[in-house]
Amino acid sequence: SSCRGSRPAASAMDPGRTSPITGASGWWSDMRDQAAQIEQLRAENSSLRGDLVEAQADRVRADALDALLRVSKVGQYRFVPAEVIGVGPAQDFTQAVTIDAGRTDGIENDMTVINGDGLVGHVVKTAAGSATVVLLTDASASVGARVAGSGEIGVVTGTGDPRALGFELLDPMADVKVGDALVTFGSKAGRPYAPGLPIGRVVSVSGSAGGLTRVATVEPFADMSRLSIVGVVTRPPRTD
């Protein structure tokens, strides 16, 4: 026969040959396994990144609380710690934050708010479990201040800029210079501002001593754009 000596056709069950169907099936199974492994690795990586971010946030909060405790110890303040949970305009104020402590924690209107760097603002509204704090940098803010060292008194005002405050001395003949630190003069009964709290440092001065107007620009010690843990002063020191 003309076909004698030719190789017989392989059957579907011939183990020596790979069926196109079973081969494709195996390839697809491998691809699915690899895709599942890749997805699992992505999920694990995302989880690890989340854990890292959370750990970093915890570290930031812990550092902020440590700094706050140091400030309160030096100034002998009693305070309620709170975390900033919201940022944005509130009521008639453009620069305000919401904290996670309220009336049930003993928070009342006009209490002073600080952080580990200095004065932050004061409470203007309370709810059961939260409170609104207007920041020192809000354009409506005004606080009596004195120059550390000389004791000269003036008024610090918010400008609406989170990095700048205005300061005007009550005595136009008094001297103020770049680098001078300002602290709160204090309000009656310590509200809305407790005495002796760091406010900021003078970065520029316009006008000269004896002039009609002499205004200094002050950079606040507290970074209003990076607030995390703050303290609401429930009892200011007996003495300044």
Side-chain angles (χ1 to χ4, degrees):
S1 164
S2 60
C3 293
R4 182 178 297 174
S6 64
R7 182 173 299 183
S11 70
M13 301 301 292
D14 186 349
R17 299 292 298 272
T18 301
S19 164
I21 297 176
T22 57
S25 176
W27 172 83
W28 178 244
S29 178
D30 289 344
M31 285 296 292
R32 282 190 303 179
D33 289 344
Q34 290 177 13
Q37 290 173 0
I38 291 172
E39 188 61 33
Q40 182 179 356
L41 288 173
R42 283 176 176 168
E44 290 174 357
N45 191 32
S46 178
S47 178
L48 288 172
R49 283 200 305 267
D51 291 343
L52 178 60
V53 169
E54 187 174 347
Q56 290 173 336
D58 287 343
R59 183 70 262 169
V60 168
R61 285 192 287 265
D63 290 344
L65 183 57
D66 286 344
L68 182 59
L69 289 169
R70 286 196 296 272
V71 168
S72 66
K73 185 176 181 180
V74 171
Q76 298 183 331
Y77 301 99
R78 179 174 292 176
F79 69 92
V80 172
E83 185 168 11
V84 173
I85 56 174
V87 178
Q91 296 175 285
D92 297 326
F93 309 106
T94 58
Q95 295 197 17
V97 298
T98 301
I99 58 175
D100 65 353
R103 287 193 300 268
T104 56
D105 304 289
I107 307 303
E108 299 174 2
N109 283 354
D110 286 336
M111 283 184 169
T112 308
V113 180
I114 62 175
N115 73 355
D117 296 316
L119 182 63
V120 169
H122 71 280
V123 176
V124 292
K125 182 181 179 182
T126 59
S130 64
T132 301
V133 177
V134 61
L135 302 181
L136 174 65
T137 50
D138 188 84
S140 69
S142 177
V143 54
R146 59 179 178 162
V147 180
S150 71
E152 292 293 343
I153 298 171
V155 178
V156 167
T157 53
T159 63
D161 182 343
R163 296 170 300 278
L165 302 165
F167 176 58
E168 187 170 356
L169 287 163
L170 295 184
D171 180 2
M173 298 299 293
D175 186 36
V176 62
K177 59 186 181 298
V178 172
D180 282 344
L182 304 182
V183 298
T184 54
F185 183 70
S187 310
K188 184 177 180 180
R191 296 187 186 187
Y193 298 112
L197 290 169
I199 296 175
R201 193 174 301 280
V202 175
V203 293
S204 67
V205 181
S206 62
S208 57
L212 292 177
T213 58
R214 194 157 194 237
V215 179
T217 299
V218 177
E219 182 180 13
F221 288 129
D223 186 345
M224 305 302 172
S225 66
R226 299 181 62 184
L227 296 174
S228 57
I229 301 297
V230 298
V232 183
V233 178
T234 55
R235 190 186 71 183
R238 294 179 182 272
T239 57
D240 186 354

